[in-house]
Amino acid sequence: MAEHKNSAEQQYEDQLRGAADGASVTAYVLHRAKPHLPPWLATTGLGLAGALGSLQWQGSAAAGVGLTLASVALTGVTWWAGKATGQQRRLHSAITVAAGSAWLTGACLAGPLTGPLPDLYLMGGPALALSWNIRMVLRRNVDGAPAGSTDKGLLEKVGLARAQIGATSVEPNRVTAKMMLEAGEQTNEDVARVLPRLASALDLPTSAVRYLGDPSSARRGELVIVPEDMLAQVADWPGPSSLGGSIAEPLVIGRYDDGAPLVLWLPGDPEIKRNATHVLIAGGTGSGKGETALNLMTEILSRRDVLLWVSDPKMFQDFRPLLPGMDWAAEGGPDTEVMVEAIKAVIPARTRWLGAHGYRQWTPEAAQQQTSPEHTCRSDGRPCGCPGMPFLVTWMEEAANTLRLMGDNAFTGIAQEARSAGVALIVSLQRPSYDQMSTSTRASLPSVIALGCDPRDEGFSLPDAVIDAGAHPGAWGNRRPGYCYVVSPGVPEDRYPSPGRTFAVPHTAVPTMEALAAWAQRHGVTADPITAGAAGAVAGQNYTGRPTTGSGPAPRPAGEEGYGVEAESSGLLIDPEDAGIDPEAELPEEDGDDTPLWESPGYKPSPAEARELFARALDDFESDGQMVVGPKDFVDWCDRHNLSRPWVSERLKEAALDGRLEPTSATGRWRIVPSLMAA
């Protein structure tokens, strides 16, 4: 089998071919000789210094004392400075300095041509220069990789003595070196295991040393070293990176440890074969999930072609300034159950529309009015003029609460089906363990922002290959808020084990976030008819869409304070027969009590009355915006009407058969079908 040629051999052959093609042989020789010239230049400079020094100090006793002390001091400093190097280099350097300084002292005091000084110079100078040339040649082995030093070298210390270091690239605060391990004896997994010891040998944190194995080889890869932690300096949130841009552009949420921007994408890109993605945000208490969410939310709300639905059981404590810019906000519990069911209904409606208009996946063109014959739903091929469909981001904050309420499979169907519908699911929770989230859901969340966590939880957040390459969020815990690893389509794989840090969002940024939410109200898109229709069919009045500035307040129902005054002053909604009624006159007294019999204390309604009461109760729940119900929601109602919970359970099943209710993913919980849809 032909052996792989290293970079030095390849460069040598290229240079030979260049010479054969007519390149200057002299230039080639000089190029090859350049690395070996410094010892000879130093020898020449030493002779000139001795000749010039003799003109100034020849025969001077004081100069003799000074030059002798300087020679001894210089030799001592060389020996002291060489303690961090190998013993051979240290001794070689000290001997060279001692010999050179001794000859220089004699030449300055007696003259360079006196006695044996010229012979010593002509023989000793070239000998020392050649010794350094020989040392330089022997530093490289036949494969062109540096050989181990006499103190067994860095790689030998960590158990990789026979590994070879190839081409090395040096960037600002980042060194990348290609590695080739011993065939049949070492694998990339061996390097991954010794990374902590390698970081210790370099006196660096564990996260500063990473190894990226070559997917096409079990013994080749790249060793990446970041000597300075640039993340220790907190960087404040700079504001949206692309106000008014498309959601298809990168979302900038922080920076890497070498200063590069920390980004991710949500939609796919068919031109570069990047898949759309869902995102898991995982991190322990105090790891910076809230600020990470603010960075990502502000980026989403600053784009022109996206809708944002957010569920937050913490009542939007962190996200209150951004509320006006959201298309739908649910505060956990039954409201979140309705949102989840609405997302499930929205997905097939959106995929049907995208397919009918010729989109295999969502692209920015889908958010525009469909005026192209290429994307039309008309059978004759003419532009249909349909309104565009914005991208939809559905965000489940503190998702552990929702999973406990709805079951660990609550998001599985959404995660598996939503990407092709132009819907991205973002799930944020502290510990994505398998006792909280099903393995199917976790497998369908290909992107992750892994913040600091318990060391035992690293495997729940990051793939094993990324952990083996040197990523360890467990090393941070909650001591470094905002530190994270990002694994996502579009991010280069060599960045996966590189730590980043999200921007810090200070309290002084609240006015900027409020201004961003106001901008989203004025310039952001509203839900398309397909998405809004599917959501409204499930959520009823729970989904109203994002309010837009200038649209005026929503009409208030009759009975609210001030409503009658406004109606009377406008001259609308007043029956002409009532125009002559004195509004100051007292109303006549009622005759008798109109309270329904079944509202009387202790009265047990008949079966027909009970069913009517139950239907009214469902209407009341719907009018109050509670679209998910179960037997526990009827406890007070049962006590008030002397009915039992088993009776309610039977009526719920009957209502489901009649189409008034739909089952949810949680046992014993039913979703109310809006009355217009049920009819």
Side-chain angles (χ1 to χ4, degrees):
M1 180 181 293
E3 296 183 355
H4 292 282
K5 294 180 179 179
N6 58 35
S7 58
E9 291 174 334
Q10 188 65 45
Q11 183 181 8
Y12 180 69
E13 291 179 4
D14 292 342
Q15 289 169 338
L16 286 180
R17 281 194 292 269
D21 292 338
S24 172
V25 176
T26 303
Y28 169 73
V29 172
L30 289 176
H31 175 75
R32 298 294 293 179
K34 281 180 182 178
H36 305 281
L37 290 179
W40 296 95
L41 295 176
T43 301
T44 303
L46 183 67
L48 292 175
L52 294 175
S54 66
L55 298 177
Q56 179 71 23
W57 297 311
Q58 186 171 355
S60 172
V65 175
L67 290 171
T68 301
L69 292 176
S71 176
V72 173
L74 187 60
T75 303
V77 169
T78 303
W79 179 259
W80 173 82
K83 66 180 181 179
T85 64
Q87 290 288 357
Q88 288 183 358
R89 178 181 290 273
R90 187 181 190 187
L91 185 61
H92 193 184
S93 300
I95 291 174
T96 301
V97 172
S101 58
W103 184 91
L104 179 63
T105 300
C108 289
L109 297 177
L113 301 178
T114 303
L117 289 178
D119 295 327
L120 290 174
Y121 178 79
L122 294 175
M123 291 185 291
L128 286 175
L130 282 173
S131 69
W132 282 101
N133 291 158
I134 293 171
R135 183 180 184 87
M136 182 177 296
V137 172
L138 293 181
R139 283 179 58 195
R140 296 190 173 274
N141 58 24
V142 294
D143 291 319
S149 62
T150 55
D151 63 348
K152 297 186 178 180
L154 181 62
L155 295 180
E156 187 174 353
K157 286 181 179 179
V158 298
L160 298 174
R162 298 184 180 180
Q164 298 176 7
I165 300 292
T168 302
S169 63
V170 180
E171 307 169 43
N173 200 40
R174 183 183 177 96
V175 179
T176 305
K178 293 188 178 297
M179 286 189 67
M180 184 172 66
L181 308 176
E182 185 181 12
E185 297 292 334
Q186 298 169 327
T187 65
N188 291 333
E189 287 75 13
D190 295 325
V191 183
R193 283 193 292 267
V194 303
L195 286 179
R197 299 208 303 270
L198 189 57
S200 174
L202 295 171
D203 194 20
L204 292 173
T206 305
S207 60
V209 182
R210 280 96 69 176
Y211 180 75
L212 308 172
D214 187 342
S216 62
S217 174
R219 67 185 186 101
R220 294 176 183 270
E222 289 185 344
L223 183 66
V224 179
I225 300 173
V226 180
E228 180 184 356
D229 183 9
M230 295 182 65
L231 304 180
Q233 184 68 31
V234 178
D236 286 341
W237 176 59
S241 64
S242 180
L243 184 63
S246 172
I247 189 62
E249 299 173 17
L251 307 175
V252 183
I253 61 174
R255 60 178 181 172
Y256 284 104
D257 56 353
D258 60 357
L262 182 67
V263 301
L264 75 158
W265 290 261
L266 294 179
D269 189 337
E271 293 186 1
I272 62 174
K273 307 300 181 184
R274 187 188 70 236
N275 291 326
T277 191
H278 305 308
V279 181
L280 171 66
I281 303 177
T285 302
S287 63
K289 288 199 313 301
E291 288 194 339
T292 300
L294 283 173
N295 277 279
L296 191 50
M297 278 191 191
T298 52
E299 284 290 275
I300 293 170
L301 287 177
S302 68
R303 306 305 167 89
R304 67 178 184 273
D305 50 5
V306 61
L307 303 171
L308 179 61
W309 294 358
V310 181
S311 164
D312 184 9
K314 295 195 304 183
M315 312 304 174
F316 295 88
Q317 180 181 8
D318 293 329
F319 315 130
R320 183 69 54 179
L322 300 176
L323 264 177
M326 299 176 186
D327 189 65
W328 189 359
E331 294 183 345
D335 290 344
T336 297
E337 289 185 87
V338 174
M339 178 179 285
V340 171
E341 296 300 324
I343 297 170
K344 294 178 181 178
V346 159
I347 290 171
R350 288 174 63 94
T351 53
R352 189 180 304 114
W353 186 92
L354 289 170
H357 288 82
Y359 295 99
R360 297 187 62 186
Q361 67 180 76
W362 187 92
T363 61
E365 291 76 16
Q368 303 171 4
Q369 186 174 6
Q370 303 304 294
T371 58
S372 170
E374 183 181 358
H375 298 295
T376 181
C377 58
R378 292 175 59 96
S379 58
D380 57 7
R382 290 188 296 170
C384 60
C386 292
M389 176 176 286
F391 194 77
L392 175 61
V393 177
T394 57
W395 190 302
M396 299 295 159
E397 184 68 16
E398 296 294 344
N401 292 345
T402 303
L403 291 168
R404 285 194 295 269
L405 176 66
M406 303 183 64
D408 61 355
N409 277 310
F411 307 135
T412 301
I414 298 173
Q416 292 176 345
E417 302 168 5
R419 287 190 300 164
S420 61
V423 179
L425 172 66
I426 299 178
V427 178
S428 175
L429 73 169
Q430 294 184 12
R431 190 172 184 266
S433 57
Y434 302 121
D435 60 341
Q436 296 194 66
M437 179 187 297
S438 73
T439 55
S440 297
T441 302
R442 179 63 188 90
S444 300
L445 300 175
S447 297
V448 61
I449 302 176
L451 295 109
C453 64
D454 188 290
R456 295 168 295 182
D457 295 342
E458 291 180 344
F460 296 138
S461 302
L462 292 173
D464 292 340
V466 179
I467 295 176
D468 292 341
H472 293 293
W476 303 324
N478 60 1
R479 298 181 299 278
R480 297 185 180 181
Y483 277 61
C484 63
Y485 296 99
V486 174
V487 176
S488 184
V491 177
E493 291 188 11
D494 62 351
R495 285 290 187 186
Y496 288 176
S498 299
R501 189 174 190 178
T502 57
F503 296 121
V505 184
H507 293 294
T508 54
V510 170
T512 304
M513 289 189 287
E514 292 175 341
L516 175 61
W519 178 90
Q521 282 185 298
R522 293 193 303 271
H523 304 290
V525 294
T526 56
D528 58 282
I530 302 300
T531 302
V538 171
Q541 64 180 11
N542 273 26
Y543 175 73
T544 57
R546 177 175 55 207
T548 56
T549 55
S551 59
R556 289 176 292 175
E560 287 194 5
E561 182 181 357
Y563 180 82
V565 176
E566 292 177 2
E568 182 179 354
S569 63
S570 63
L572 300 176
L573 305 178
I574 299 179
D575 193 322
E577 296 181 0
D578 297 334
I581 297 178
D582 183 3
E584 301 296 331
E586 295 185 2
L587 296 174
E589 295 184 1
E590 296 283 347
D591 293 333
D593 187 3
D594 289 340
T595 303
L597 187 60
W598 53 68
E599 295 289 348
S600 302
Y603 179 79
K604 184 175 179 62
S606 66
E609 292 172 337
R611 282 181 166 80
E612 183 179 350
L613 284 171
F614 179 78
R616 291 188 179 186
L618 292 181
D619 293 339
D620 291 340
F621 280 123
E622 181 182 351
S623 63
D624 292 340
Q626 183 173 341
M627 302 298 290
V628 177
V629 296
K632 67 178 182 181
D633 298 303
F634 287 84
V635 172
D636 294 339
W637 183 86
C638 289
D639 294 340
R640 189 166 63 251
H641 296 291
N642 296 310
L643 295 170
S644 65
R645 289 185 63 180
W647 182 89
V648 169
S649 298
E650 291 299 322
R651 301 292 81 74
L652 289 171
K653 295 177 182 178
E654 289 180 1
L657 294 175
D658 294 339
R660 187 68 173 98
L661 299 177
E662 287 284 346
T664 67
S665 56
T667 304
R669 303 289 289 171
W670 305 85
R671 176 177 59 82
I672 298 176
V673 177
S675 54
L676 291 178
M677 299 298 300

